[in-house]
Amino acid sequence: MGVYYVAVNGQATGSYDLSVLKQMKTMGQFTSESLVWKAGMSEWVKAGTIDELKSIVVIPPIPPVE
């Protein structure tokens, strides 16, 4: 399980584990556009680009109605 830092108003906050990030998403404080970083990453990236975080921040498409 990952532990991430989140950029908020230009400042690094955290570190947060996935359960905290889920709570932040519920409160509107964490989205797919949020910049995140964890140890081993070379740079900050959008949360929606990280497989581990996609289940938290990306809403799956609604299947077509037939």
Side-chain angles (χ1 to χ4, degrees), residues 6-32:
V6 179
V8 178
N9 297 323
Q11 300 292 318
T13 63
S15 61
Y16 304 113
D17 64 23
L18 297 181
S19 64
V20 173
L21 293 176
K22 286 178 185 176
Q23 291 174 352
M24 291 172 67
K25 164 75 169 143
T26 301
M27 294 184 292
Q29 298 172 335
F30 185 63
T31 71
S32 62

Side-chain angles (χ1 to χ4, degrees), residues 1-60:
M1 171 163 28
V3 176
Y4 292 88
Y5 293 87
V6 179
V8 178
N9 297 323
Q11 300 292 318
T13 63
S15 61
Y16 304 113
D17 64 23
L18 297 181
S19 64
V20 173
L21 293 176
K22 286 178 185 176
Q23 291 174 352
M24 291 172 67
K25 164 75 169 143
T26 301
M27 294 184 292
Q29 298 172 335
F30 185 63
T31 71
S32 62
E33 297 295 310
S34 297
L35 293 176
V36 297
W37 178 87
K38 72 174 183 175
M41 293 173 62
S42 61
E43 61 188 8
W44 291 79
V45 298
K46 291 181 180 180
T49 65
I50 299 176
D51 288 341
E52 184 176 35
L53 299 179
K54 283 182 181 177
S55 65
I56 297 173
V57 296
V58 177
I59 299 171

